[in-house]
């Protein structure tokens, strides 16, 4: 990509971590086809500094930060992993930049307007995420969201020097493919505001639902439901699965070779969505009203859902009814050949 | 005496800052600060107990299934559920995969790049070490990342994804393994074995595991050229640079026992003090807050009734980390502790001769990789595809429980109190909390603080490379430490 016209210079990328767990980095270094270092090289991106990967340590980083802040060195891409920590009482003392007397939140606020692009990597950096759960003891927020509300550290009107808003590559953790493709598009100059959804997520993954490509879709069609984790049926009715409402392509673009949460036997807990950390019900239980799940697909009229569900339940094949509550296939599909032989 | 503040230490997990008192070309005292507080223990209060399986893995992205397993073990104890053999096997496989991936990540991406630093440019071994281990651009990083990613397919198959899986449950695991997954798992583990036997060891795992003394290790090292295998490369550089003289620990080791099966562990549970093993008793654990920015109870408390309330201006505080002590003593945890408690002859001999030090810690990790992979192969073969993987039991509305596991970095404990079906108290003591604890009420420094004393400071060094080796020899995970 460095050979594209008008893009002769390699881009630099500064990666900072604040109130998170490092899981997005650990997920990211599992990138495949190609691996992360090769992908960055192809994109024409150099790591100015990354906390897990770079040699430079301590004062070398402080010197780099000084050069970036003074403008002596341009900043092409700033990534934040983890939420912004504002506590206690707005001081940011719950996370000071090591080797300095500065709260991380101040450093982030200084650097963001200097960057050509700002990328929030993971749900913490985007919306506050799990760090903001409960009573949010550290007063965590995202770069331009505070949970579901616009705001955050930089405010809703923030624009990076390129004119783009903060790119919210949410996910807890983030899928390596989501980050790598965002980088490749930024480096190629092809990512526009129209490529982001209403809350700043790249639409290439956020225009899908976790439900798409779910291997349990046939169970969903007939409302053949799992009662316990580890069973094969649809997990929407009893086990809290939110895959029909959650924006992500996890079941199309698989994880770690061939996985996904639902393929792993547990429900989608909506980790790419703002506010997922506080669902007001236990994660693996479906809240219901009058026996009907409260969280239905957002774009389907409720009456139709109820009517279709009762119809499809009445029509559930025996095969699905039995397999739904088993942990492996106990009744295989009957083949056409079998029918002809009768 | 000069005081120097060093940080951030990168190529560790999370944030780390150290104050060093330096005099006469060596470190005289070290004060370790874990500068990030998030408050997971407060977040958990009031939640449904099963939700601990969602929150606690997100304490840490590098040992997330270890956190998950500690929570699942605690919940299993509360429910009294009996895990089917398949469930225990898959739990062990997932834990082993995470621990092995951690050891590889640490060795190749975190630890070895320090030998490619400019400070070593004049050393005769520098050129080869730089070509192989230089951060980002060295040949090793470009080999290990794809090998690691392919190995983590095991997580895709068994746990849906990694990190932050919900697949480990109190009664087992949520993904049943069929015959086809079983052979794919075998192939995935075999593929890692091939990488290890070619690149890391340049020898069979069995030969490495059979090394039973320092003499045997030295003979193995000398039997081939220094760059034949990355472990040998490390051993040769380490010998020249005297890494066995750096970072001496306290000589007391704790392991909760790793990879539970049939009431026992593949790597034994226990304590070793002054070379002698003794039994572990949970009641001997207490957490001291004397140097922490935390509210201070009247006396150090057992984590089952511990308290974590931030108090940023607490006098004498210099870190958010607590100081866990075992029967009042500072203990070291990690692969070195696991292998010495398990009695592996190589580690027992190395520690008897030179103590626990930066070199021994690395060797223990590499040995552990060589021991774990054959165990994984055996566990995969033992899975019986048509039998259950998960048992289900009701959660009692009230009770107390603990979950003790071994993460890559050592002993990890969760303590939970449940009242009226909700979490009333949840306390976590992570491995790096043990190793990177501050001074306690008696002024006794933590393990790494002690290990840093006497570290040499070269002429003109701002951030001494010896300090870097020692700190990273523990493979600290700071996000777990304070959580």
């Amino acid at each position: 990509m460095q050979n594209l016209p008008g893009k002769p210079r390699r881009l630099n990328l500064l990666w900072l971590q604040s109130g998170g767990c490092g899981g997005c980095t650990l997920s990211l270094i599992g990138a495949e086809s190609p691996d992360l270092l090769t992908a960055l090289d192809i994109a024409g991106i150099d790591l100015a500094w990354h906390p897990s990967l770079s040699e430079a340590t301590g004062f070398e980083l402080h010197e780099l930060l000084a050069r970036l802040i003074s403008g002596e060195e341009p900043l092409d891409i700033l990534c934040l992993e983890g939420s912004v920590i504002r506590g206690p009482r707005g001081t940011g003392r719950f996370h000071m930049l090591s080797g300095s007397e500065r709260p991380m939140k101040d450093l982030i606020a200084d650097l963001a307007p200097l960057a050509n692009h700002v990328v929030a990597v993971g749900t913490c950096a985007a919306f506050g995420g799990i760090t903001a759960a409960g009573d949010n003891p550290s007063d965590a927020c995202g770069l331009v969201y505070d949970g579901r509300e616009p705001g955050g550290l930089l405010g809703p009107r923030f624009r990076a020097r390129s004119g783009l808003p903060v790119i919210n590559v949410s996910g807890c953790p983030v899928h390596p493919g989501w980050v790598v493709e965002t980088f490749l598009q930024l480096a190629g100059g092809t990512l526009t505001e129209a490529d982001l959804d209403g809350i700043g997520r790249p639409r290439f993954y956020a225009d899908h639902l976790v439900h798409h490509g779910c291997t349990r879709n046939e169970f969903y069609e007939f409302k053949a439901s799992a009662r316990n984790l580890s069973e094969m049926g649809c997990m929407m009715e009893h086990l809290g699965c939110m895959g029909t409402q959650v924006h992500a392509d996890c079941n199309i673009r698989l994880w770690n070779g061939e996985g996904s949460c639902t393929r792993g036997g547990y429900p989608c807990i909506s980790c790419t969505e703002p506010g997922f950390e506080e669902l007001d019900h236990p994660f693996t239980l479906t809240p219901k009203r009058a026996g009907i799940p409260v969280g239905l697909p957002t774009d389907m009229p409720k009456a139709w859902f109820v009517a279709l569900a009762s119809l499809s339940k009445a029509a559930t094949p025996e095969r699905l009814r039995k397999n739904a509550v088993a942990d492996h296939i106990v009744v295989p599909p009957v083949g056409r050949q079998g029918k002809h032989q009768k | 005496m000069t005081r120097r503040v060093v940080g951030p230490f990168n190529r560790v997990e999370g944030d780390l800052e150290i104050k060093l008192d330096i005099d006469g070309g060596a470190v005289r005292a070290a004060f370790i600060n874990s500068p990030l507080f998030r408050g997971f223990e407060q977040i958990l209060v009031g939640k449904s107990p099963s939700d601990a399986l969602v929150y606690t893995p997100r304490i840490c992205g590098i040992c997330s299934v270890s956190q998950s397993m500690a929570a699942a073990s605690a919940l299993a104890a509360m429910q009294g559920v009996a895990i089917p053999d398949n469930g225990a096997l898959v739990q062990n496989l997932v834990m082993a995969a995470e621990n092995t991936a951690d050891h590889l990540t640490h060795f190749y991406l975190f630890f070895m790049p320090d030998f490619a630093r400019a400070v070593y440019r004049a050393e005769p071994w520098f050129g080869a070490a730089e070509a192989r281990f230089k951060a980002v651009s060295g040949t090793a990083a470009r080999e290990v990342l794809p090998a690691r990613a392919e190995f983590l397919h095991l997580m895709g198959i068994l746990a849906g994804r990694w990190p932050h899986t919900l697949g480990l449950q109190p009664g087992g695991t949520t993904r049943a393994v069929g015959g086809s997954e079983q052979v794919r798992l075998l192939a995935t583990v075999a593929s890692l074995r091939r990488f290890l036997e070619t690149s890391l060891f340049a020898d069979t795992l069995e030969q490495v595991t059979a090394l039973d003394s320092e003499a045997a290790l030295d003979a193995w090292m000398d039997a081939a050229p220094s760059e034949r295998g990355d472990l040998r490369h490390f051993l040769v550089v380490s010998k020249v640079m005297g890494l066995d003289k750096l970072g001496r620990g306290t000589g007391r080791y704790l392991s909760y026992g790793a990879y539970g099966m049939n009431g026992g562990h593949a790597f034994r549970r226990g304590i070793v003090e002054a070379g002698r093993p003794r039994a572990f008793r949970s009641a001997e654990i207490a957490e001291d807050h004397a140097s922490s920015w935390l509210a201070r109870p009247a006396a150090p408390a057992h984590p089952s009734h511990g308290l974590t309330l931030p108090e940023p201006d607490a006098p004498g505080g210099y870190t958010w980390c607590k100081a866990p002590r075992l029967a009042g003593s500072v203990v070291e945890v990690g692969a070195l502790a696991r292998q010495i408690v398990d009695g592996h002859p190589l580690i027992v001999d190395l520690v008897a001769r030179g103590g626990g030090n930066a070199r021994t810690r690395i060797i223990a990790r590499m040995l552990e990789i060589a021991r774990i992979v054959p165990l994984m192969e055996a566990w995969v073969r033992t899975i019986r595809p048509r039998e259950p993987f998960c048992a289900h039991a009701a959660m009692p509305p009230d009770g107390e429980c603990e979950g003790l596991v071994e993460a890559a970095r050592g002993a990890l404990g969760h303590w939970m109190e449940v009242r009226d079906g909700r979490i009333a108290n949840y306390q976590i003591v992570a491995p790096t909390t043990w190793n990177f604890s501050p001074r306690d009420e008696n002024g006794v420094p933590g393990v790494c603080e002690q290990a840093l004393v006497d570290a040499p400071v070269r002429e003109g060094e701002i951030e001494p490379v010896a300090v870097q080796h020692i700190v990273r020899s523990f493979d600290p995970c700071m996000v777990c430490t304070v959580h």
Side-chain angles (χ1 to χ4, degrees):
Chain A
M1 299 250 172
Q2 65 266 44
N3 298 326
L4 289 180
K7 284 241 166 222
R9 194 171 60 82
R10 287 178 72 83
L11 304 178
N12 67 5
L13 185 155
L14 174 68
W15 185 291
L16 297 176
Q17 290 175 334
S18 190
C21 71
C24 290
T25 284
L26 270 297
S27 178
L28 178 60
I29 63 173
E32 293 184 272
S33 307
D35 66 274
L36 176 67
L37 297 175
T38 304
L40 288 171
D41 200 32
I42 289 165
I45 295 174
D46 293 325
L47 291 176
W49 193 72
H50 186 291
S52 302
L53 300 171
S54 295
E55 177 183 304
T57 193
F59 78 96
E60 296 160 300
L61 172 67
H62 294 292
E63 288 179 356
L64 170 69
L65 294 175
R67 290 197 302 279
L68 293 172
I69 288 170
S70 72
E72 184 186 333
E73 195 169 321
L75 177 56
D76 295 303
I77 303 173
L78 172 67
C79 292
L80 176 68
E81 173 182 8
S83 52
V84 177
I85 299 287
R86 294 173 297 189
R89 297 177 301 280
T91 63
R93 274 185 66 188
F94 283 148
H95 189 199
M96 305 292 280
L97 170 64
S98 299
S100 83
E101 297 292 317
R102 292 202 81 196
M104 273 300 288
K105 72 176 177 69
D106 293 352
L107 174 70
I108 297 162
D110 283 354
L111 286 168
L114 304 174
N116 209 34
H117 300 295
V118 180
V119 182
V121 181
T123 302
C124 286
F127 309 122
I130 213 83
T131 311
D135 294 334
N136 193 357
S138 64
D139 198 9
C141 67
L143 282 174
V144 288
Y145 276 86
D146 190 348
R148 296 180 179 89
E149 302 300 319
L153 177 75
L154 303 173
R157 282 189 293 279
F158 174 85
R159 288 290 182 278
R161 282 201 303 114
S162 65
L164 282 178
V166 169
I167 300 158
N168 284 327
V169 190
S170 65
C172 186
V174 80
H175 190 295
W178 303 340
V179 181
V180 166
E181 285 169 24
T182 301
F183 288 166
L184 285 163
Q185 291 192 9
L186 286 176
T190 56
L191 191 83
T192 68
E193 196 156 351
D195 296 312
L196 304 177
D197 77 355
I199 52 175
R201 297 178 297 196
R203 292 177 57 181
F204 67 78
Y205 81 88
D207 278 359
H208 294 281
L209 295 173
V210 169
H211 182 60
H212 299 162
C214 178
T215 49
R216 295 168 190 243
N217 280 356
E218 195 189 21
F219 294 101
Y220 173 83
E221 288 165 25
F222 289 99
K223 296 292 161 290
S225 296
R227 292 271 166 187
N228 293 298
L229 296 176
S230 82
E231 295 170 356
M232 295 175 63
C234 177
M235 294 183 282
M236 175 198 177
E237 193 177 359
H238 303 303
L239 296 172
C241 185
M242 298 168 77
T244 56
Q245 305 154 63
V246 172
H247 296 242
D249 61 3
C250 298
N251 270 311
I252 302 169
R253 174 203 303 267
L254 298 178
W255 290 74
N256 300 111
E258 50 192 282
S260 76
C261 292
T262 57
R263 288 174 198 221
Y266 50 93
C268 169
I269 59 168
S270 74
C271 78
T272 56
E273 302 289 341
F276 96 96
E277 66 275 6
E278 282 297 326
L279 293 182
D280 71 25
H281 62 84
F283 284 96
T284 55
L285 276 182
T286 305
K288 295 176 199 167
R289 212 166 289 136
I292 298 162
V294 174
L296 296 177
T298 45
D299 43 11
M300 185 169 183
K302 194 164 188 173
W304 273 107
F305 182 90
V306 173
L308 285 174
S310 60
L311 204 60
S312 60
K313 269 200 179 186
T316 306
E318 190 67 2
R319 170 175 63 87
L320 294 176
R321 205 186 306 279
K322 288 189 170 157
N323 288 340
V325 292
D327 69 359
H328 61 278
I329 293 169
V330 289
V331 184
V334 177
R336 277 189 179 281
Q337 300 88 335
K339 273 190 176 169
H340 284 303
Q341 280 163 6
K342 274 189 185 171
Chain B
M1 186 88 72
T2 57
R3 156 92 33 126
R4 209 173 280 169
V5 182
V6 185
F9 271 85
N10 60 326
R11 285 179 284 113
V12 303
E13 176 43 51
D15 278 64
L16 170 61
E17 173 186 283
I18 303 183
K19 289 188 174 67
L20 297 171
D21 287 343
I22 297 170
D23 194 26
V27 172
R28 298 301 164 200
F31 301 80
I32 296 180
N33 176 11
S34 308
L36 172 63
F37 177 87
R38 290 169 296 163
F40 271 79
E41 286 144 325
Q42 281 160 270
I43 286 170
L44 284 157
V45 171
K47 304 292 185 202
S48 167
S50 66
D51 283 352
L53 296 170
V54 170
Y55 291 106
T56 59
R58 290 172 166 85
I59 289 171
C60 179
I62 197 164
C63 26
S64 95
V65 305
S66 301
Q67 295 283 356
S68 179
M69 192 66 231
S73 301
L75 291 166
M78 189 95 86
Q79 297 177 353
V81 63
I83 303 173
D85 286 351
N86 279 340
L89 289 165
V90 175
Q91 285 182 343
N92 282 346
L93 282 165
V94 171
M95 286 281 285
E98 180 172 273
N99 289 348
T100 304
D102 273 9
H103 289 341
L104 284 173
T105 307
H106 175 257
F107 182 79
Y108 282 106
L109 300 184
F110 296 173
F111 189 80
M112 293 306 288
D114 279 329
F115 292 106
R117 301 184 74 89
V119 67
Y120 288 134
R121 183 161 290 143
E123 304 292 340
W125 47 263
F126 179 77
E130 186 191 34
R132 184 70 185 147
F133 298 113
K134 180 106 177 144
V136 180
S137 62
T139 55
R142 297 192 178 241
E143 278 177 38
V144 76
L145 282 179
R148 174 187 174 280
E150 191 178 303
F151 178 55
L152 288 176
H153 287 195
L154 190 142
M155 295 293 198
I157 298 169
L158 292 178
R161 68 167 188 189
W162 181 88
H164 304 338
T165 172
L166 251 175
L168 305 188
Q169 292 285 322
T173 53
T174 57
R175 171 73 148 95
V177 175
S180 71
E181 285 94 16
Q182 192 173 21
V183 291
R184 179 147 302 281
L185 290 166
L186 277 176
T188 303
V189 178
S191 173
L192 182 75
R193 178 189 269 267
R194 194 162 285 188
F195 168 80
L196 298 171
E197 296 189 338
T198 307
S199 295
L200 179 57
F201 299 122
D203 200 348
T204 65
L205 305 183
E206 286 71 17
Q207 292 285 349
V208 174
T209 304
L211 297 170
D212 58 359
S213 65
E214 183 159 32
L217 182 70
D218 285 345
W220 182 83
M221 179 181 77
D222 293 335
S226 65
E227 286 134 42
R228 183 145 162 67
D230 296 319
L231 174 62
R232 186 175 278 106
H233 198 154
F234 161 76
L235 290 171
V236 171
V237 172
S238 155
K239 183 141 262 187
V240 180
M241 299 315 294
L243 245 64
D244 55 340
K245 305 287 185 293
L246 283 184
R248 182 87 184 229
T250 59
R252 276 183 296 270
Y253 303 97
L254 161 68
S255 168
Y256 291 154
Y259 312 120
M261 185 62 74
N262 305 322
H265 296 94
F267 298 153
R268 204 181 302 162
R269 170 178 289 190
I271 295 160
V272 167
E273 272 175 342
R276 278 189 298 278
R278 73 169 177 90
F280 162 75
R281 284 181 296 275
S282 168
E284 291 180 359
I285 301 172
E287 290 200 289
D288 182 300
H289 300 200
S291 301
S292 314
W293 289 312
L294 296 172
R296 293 181 188 159
H302 187 263
S304 61
H305 49 274
L307 184 72
T308 308
L309 285 176
E311 206 171 290
D313 298 314
Y318 62 87
T319 174
W320 298 104
C321 181
K322 296 179 183 175
R325 296 292 184 258
L326 188 78
S329 294
V330 175
V331 297
E332 177 171 342
V333 302
L336 171 57
R338 263 192 306 274
Q339 293 305 323
I340 197 169
V341 167
D342 196 52
H344 190 279
L346 173 62
I347 301 301
V348 170
D349 189 52
L350 285 170
V351 172
R353 290 166 189 279
N357 54 55
R359 174 172 172 261
T360 334
R361 287 184 196 104
I362 305 298
I363 294 169
R365 266 190 210 97
M366 298 302 102
L367 171 71
E368 205 163 82
I369 292 177
R371 292 190 70 189
I372 288 174
V373 168
L375 282 174
M376 293 181 78
E377 292 166 340
W379 292 334
V380 173
R381 288 200 177 89
T382 314
I383 290 172
R384 287 192 291 270
R386 294 202 162 268
E387 294 181 13
F389 287 77
C390 199
H392 304 283
M395 186 72 201
D398 297 280
E400 290 176 25
C401 56
E402 67 180 7
L404 306 177
V405 302
E406 282 287 315
R409 291 158 197 78
L412 168 65
H414 285 199
W415 286 264
M416 190 184 329
E417 181 186 346
V418 176
R419 297 289 166 233
D420 300 325
R422 297 275 152 182
I423 295 171
N425 194 15
Y426 205 109
Q427 296 291 318
I428 298 148
V429 184
T432 306
T433 321
W434 288 99
N435 287 339
F436 282 59
S437 79
R439 284 149 173 77
D440 56 30
E441 59 185 356
N442 300 315
V444 180
V447 182
C448 187
E449 288 184 336
Q450 293 188 34
L452 284 167
V453 173
D454 294 337
V457 180
R458 293 168 166 235
E459 189 76 20
E461 273 190 319
I462 299 175
E463 277 151 347
V465 72
V467 169
Q468 314 268 343
H469 292 321
I470 293 167
V471 165
R472 293 199 184 94
S473 76
F474 288 95
D475 191 8
C477 179
M478 310 315 294
V479 288
C480 281
T481 305
V482 172
H483 36 268

